[in-house]
Amino acid sequence: MASDDANKKLWTWESALVDHVRIMLRIPAMLLSTAILSAEEMEAVESALSDVNDCNISKLYCRHAARMVDMNSSGGANLRLFKEYGASFGIRNGNGWGVQEIFENIAISTGQASKASAAQSIAFLQMWMDLVGNTILGFLKGSMTGNGRSEQNVSFEGIFTHMIFEGIFTLYYLVPYIMLVILAAIMPAVQNRGLYKLFHIVKVLIAASFIIPFGVLGIISLPIYFLNGREDILSASPLPSRGLYRAIPDGEAFDSNEGNFVAATATAGNDDNADIEQNIEDESIIEDESTIEGSINVDDDAS
């Protein structure tokens, strides 16, 4: 059985390449966001997204950072909108109509399209922080102990390829991971919006120094995928949290040759697949707004 850390949302090799390109392109906006958003708006996006992705280091960082801002300020409805954006971004990995709809609502509500773009850059930075932490701990407490997730065999074309990726990823990101822990530890427990934004800039600079090389690798690698008929690389997404999994209904089974779930008659005789779980489809997540509402309500109660 996979460990709790391995059960969280994790990057795959393909999704890490694609996401690092997306994140790298938004590094300038991450720095400019401090001049566009209030500290409370920034924290609203980060804390809501962190709650969805359930990353230990991000929770620690957000808990310490939140002491420097006033989340009970007069931001009111706008702060709630930023929280909703962060939660929706986390659930849908930054894609889908739900994310875009809230993005547009921020621009309309605040009267500034730049605020929506700045919130998006904050969300990408937080996603990076969350998935770096989850992937490292998923390797150390999951794959390294023989308690990895079974579907990783499918996603990485074999457990050894998967472990090589996670091992290299962990070595590459271990230093910034430790630096972010230290950064969170030295945050003062006093309200100071200027200091909050200064810590944000330091975090962006730490992240950028490691994101850019990875993003460049992604830009170089993507054409190779296209030349090999792998246009689907652009839709690669992280392994989702197993909290968003459901059991396969009777009459379905997993076809390892096709790499997806099919009618049981297509894989007759393979009863071992009966207990495999399937990720909830995006449409059902989008329709279930209670997930976002629950996350936002918890934040509001805590405030």
PDB file of all heavy atoms in Angstrom, residues 105-121:
ATOM      1  N   ASN A 105     -13.608  36.663 -13.734  1.00  0.00           N
ATOM      2  CA  ASN A 105     -14.359  37.335 -12.669  1.00  0.00           C
ATOM      3  C   ASN A 105     -13.467  38.253 -11.846  1.00  0.00           C
ATOM      4  O   ASN A 105     -13.904  39.312 -11.397  1.00  0.00           O
ATOM      5  CB  ASN A 105     -15.027  36.301 -11.759  1.00  0.00           C
ATOM      6  CG  ASN A 105     -16.214  35.624 -12.412  1.00  0.00           C
ATOM      7  OD1 ASN A 105     -16.752  36.124 -13.403  1.00  0.00           O
ATOM      8  ND2 ASN A 105     -16.630  34.499 -11.867  1.00  0.00           N
ATOM      9  N   ILE A 106     -12.222  37.840 -11.639  1.00  0.00           N
ATOM     10  CA  ILE A 106     -11.282  38.692 -10.906  1.00  0.00           C
ATOM     11  C   ILE A 106     -11.028  39.977 -11.682  1.00  0.00           C
ATOM     12  O   ILE A 106     -11.033  41.077 -11.124  1.00  0.00           O
ATOM     13  CB  ILE A 106      -9.956  37.948 -10.652  1.00  0.00           C
ATOM     14  CG1 ILE A 106     -10.156  36.817  -9.642  1.00  0.00           C
ATOM     15  CG2 ILE A 106      -8.881  38.916 -10.139  1.00  0.00           C
ATOM     16  CD1 ILE A 106      -8.917  35.969  -9.406  1.00  0.00           C
ATOM     17  N   ALA A 107     -10.816  39.838 -12.989  1.00  0.00           N
ATOM     18  CA  ALA A 107     -10.565  41.013 -13.831  1.00  0.00           C
ATOM     19  C   ALA A 107     -11.759  41.959 -13.812  1.00  0.00           C
ATOM     20  O   ALA A 107     -11.600  43.189 -13.722  1.00  0.00           O
ATOM     21  CB  ALA A 107     -10.254  40.576 -15.257  1.00  0.00           C
ATOM     22  N   ILE A 108     -12.973  41.394 -13.860  1.00  0.00           N
ATOM     23  CA  ILE A 108     -14.183  42.222 -13.874  1.00  0.00           C
ATOM     24  C   ILE A 108     -14.432  42.849 -12.505  1.00  0.00           C
ATOM     25  O   ILE A 108     -14.723  44.040 -12.397  1.00  0.00           O
ATOM     26  CB  ILE A 108     -15.398  41.379 -14.302  1.00  0.00           C
ATOM     27  CG1 ILE A 108     -15.230  40.916 -15.758  1.00  0.00           C
ATOM     28  CG2 ILE A 108     -16.692  42.170 -14.142  1.00  0.00           C
ATOM     29  CD1 ILE A 108     -16.265  39.901 -16.201  1.00  0.00           C
ATOM     30  N   SER A 109     -14.315  42.043 -11.458  1.00  0.00           N
ATOM     31  CA  SER A 109     -14.614  42.509 -10.109  1.00  0.00           C
ATOM     32  C   SER A 109     -13.661  43.607  -9.647  1.00  0.00           C
ATOM     33  O   SER A 109     -14.071  44.566  -8.995  1.00  0.00           O
ATOM     34  CB  SER A 109     -14.568  41.334  -9.131  1.00  0.00           C
ATOM     35  OG  SER A 109     -14.795  41.765  -7.799  1.00  0.00           O
ATOM     36  N   THR A 110     -12.382  43.451  -9.971  1.00  0.00           N
ATOM     37  CA  THR A 110     -11.384  44.435  -9.540  1.00  0.00           C
ATOM     38  C   THR A 110     -11.213  45.567 -10.541  1.00  0.00           C
ATOM     39  O   THR A 110     -10.625  46.601 -10.218  1.00  0.00           O
ATOM     40  CB  THR A 110     -10.011  43.763  -9.330  1.00  0.00           C
ATOM     41  OG1 THR A 110      -9.544  43.218 -10.572  1.00  0.00           O
ATOM     42  CG2 THR A 110     -10.117  42.659  -8.293  1.00  0.00           C
ATOM     43  N   GLY A 111     -11.707  45.349 -11.777  1.00  0.00           N
ATOM     44  CA  GLY A 111     -11.539  46.362 -12.812  1.00  0.00           C
ATOM     45  C   GLY A 111     -10.130  46.417 -13.361  1.00  0.00           C
ATOM     46  O   GLY A 111      -9.768  47.371 -14.051  1.00  0.00           O
ATOM     47  N   GLN A 112      -9.330  45.383 -13.057  1.00  0.00           N
ATOM     48  CA  GLN A 112      -7.937  45.356 -13.508  1.00  0.00           C
ATOM     49  C   GLN A 112      -7.595  43.955 -14.028  1.00  0.00           C
ATOM     50  O   GLN A 112      -7.489  43.010 -13.244  1.00  0.00           O
ATOM     51  CB  GLN A 112      -6.988  45.710 -12.372  1.00  0.00           C
ATOM     52  CG  GLN A 112      -7.205  47.087 -11.758  1.00  0.00           C
ATOM     53  CD  GLN A 112      -6.242  47.346 -10.625  1.00  0.00           C
ATOM     54  OE1 GLN A 112      -5.026  47.252 -10.776  1.00  0.00           O
ATOM     55  NE2 GLN A 112      -6.789  47.668  -9.466  1.00  0.00           N
ATOM     56  N   ALA A 113      -7.396  43.844 -15.329  1.00  0.00           N
ATOM     57  CA  ALA A 113      -7.004  42.555 -15.909  1.00  0.00           C
ATOM     58  C   ALA A 113      -5.632  42.132 -15.392  1.00  0.00           C
ATOM     59  O   ALA A 113      -5.336  40.936 -15.295  1.00  0.00           O
ATOM     60  CB  ALA A 113      -6.983  42.651 -17.429  1.00  0.00           C
ATOM     61  N   SER A 114      -4.816  43.100 -15.034  1.00  0.00           N
ATOM     62  CA  SER A 114      -3.472  42.793 -14.524  1.00  0.00           C
ATOM     63  C   SER A 114      -3.533  42.023 -13.209  1.00  0.00           C
ATOM     64  O   SER A 114      -2.649  41.212 -12.926  1.00  0.00           O
ATOM     65  CB  SER A 114      -2.663  44.077 -14.339  1.00  0.00           C
ATOM     66  OG  SER A 114      -3.304  44.953 -13.421  1.00  0.00           O
ATOM     67  N   LYS A 115      -4.576  42.265 -12.410  1.00  0.00           N
ATOM     68  CA  LYS A 115      -4.715  41.538 -11.144  1.00  0.00           C
ATOM     69  C   LYS A 115      -4.988  40.052 -11.393  1.00  0.00           C
ATOM     70  O   LYS A 115      -4.469  39.180 -10.694  1.00  0.00           O
ATOM     71  CB  LYS A 115      -5.838  42.138 -10.292  1.00  0.00           C
ATOM     72  CG  LYS A 115      -5.413  43.325  -9.429  1.00  0.00           C
ATOM     73  CD  LYS A 115      -6.510  43.736  -8.485  1.00  0.00           C
ATOM     74  CE  LYS A 115      -6.043  44.825  -7.530  1.00  0.00           C
ATOM     75  NZ  LYS A 115      -5.180  44.294  -6.455  1.00  0.00           N
ATOM     76  N   ALA A 116      -5.779  39.767 -12.406  1.00  0.00           N
ATOM     77  CA  ALA A 116      -6.067  38.369 -12.741  1.00  0.00           C
ATOM     78  C   ALA A 116      -4.796  37.670 -13.222  1.00  0.00           C
ATOM     79  O   ALA A 116      -4.508  36.538 -12.820  1.00  0.00           O
ATOM     80  CB  ALA A 116      -7.148  38.299 -13.811  1.00  0.00           C
ATOM     81  N   SER A 117      -4.021  38.339 -14.062  1.00  0.00           N
ATOM     82  CA  SER A 117      -2.771  37.757 -14.556  1.00  0.00           C
ATOM     83  C   SER A 117      -1.769  37.563 -13.423  1.00  0.00           C
ATOM     84  O   SER A 117      -1.045  36.554 -13.392  1.00  0.00           O
ATOM     85  CB  SER A 117      -2.164  38.657 -15.640  1.00  0.00           C
ATOM     86  OG  SER A 117      -3.023  38.736 -16.762  1.00  0.00           O
ATOM     87  N   ALA A 118      -1.734  38.515 -12.503  1.00  0.00           N
ATOM     88  CA  ALA A 118      -0.824  38.394 -11.361  1.00  0.00           C
ATOM     89  C   ALA A 118      -1.240  37.228 -10.470  1.00  0.00           C
ATOM     90  O   ALA A 118      -0.390  36.478  -9.975  1.00  0.00           O
ATOM     91  CB  ALA A 118      -0.814  39.693 -10.560  1.00  0.00           C
ATOM     92  N   ALA A 119      -2.547  37.059 -10.261  1.00  0.00           N
ATOM     93  CA  ALA A 119      -3.039  35.940  -9.455  1.00  0.00           C
ATOM     94  C   ALA A 119      -2.688  34.614 -10.108  1.00  0.00           C
ATOM     95  O   ALA A 119      -2.342  33.635  -9.433  1.00  0.00           O
ATOM     96  CB  ALA A 119      -4.554  36.047  -9.280  1.00  0.00           C
ATOM     97  N   GLN A 120      -2.750  34.575 -11.433  1.00  0.00           N
ATOM     98  CA  GLN A 120      -2.383  33.361 -12.170  1.00  0.00           C
ATOM     99  C   GLN A 120      -0.907  33.021 -11.963  1.00  0.00           C
ATOM    100  O   GLN A 120      -0.539  31.858 -11.757  1.00  0.00           O
ATOM    101  CB  GLN A 120      -2.675  33.539 -13.653  1.00  0.00           C
ATOM    102  CG  GLN A 120      -2.392  32.305 -14.496  1.00  0.00           C
ATOM    103  CD  GLN A 120      -2.528  32.589 -15.979  1.00  0.00           C
ATOM    104  OE1 GLN A 120      -1.774  33.389 -16.535  1.00  0.00           O
ATOM    105  NE2 GLN A 120      -3.494  31.946 -16.626  1.00  0.00           N
ATOM    106  N   SER A 121      -0.044  34.037 -12.002  1.00  0.00           N
ATOM    107  CA  SER A 121       1.388  33.784 -11.805  1.00  0.00           C
ATOM    108  C   SER A 121       1.660  33.288 -10.388  1.00  0.00           C
ATOM    109  O   SER A 121       2.502  32.406 -10.190  1.00  0.00           O
ATOM    110  CB  SER A 121       2.188  35.056 -12.084  1.00  0.00           C
ATOM    111  OG  SER A 121       1.998  36.034 -11.073  1.00  0.00           O
TER     112      SER A 121
END
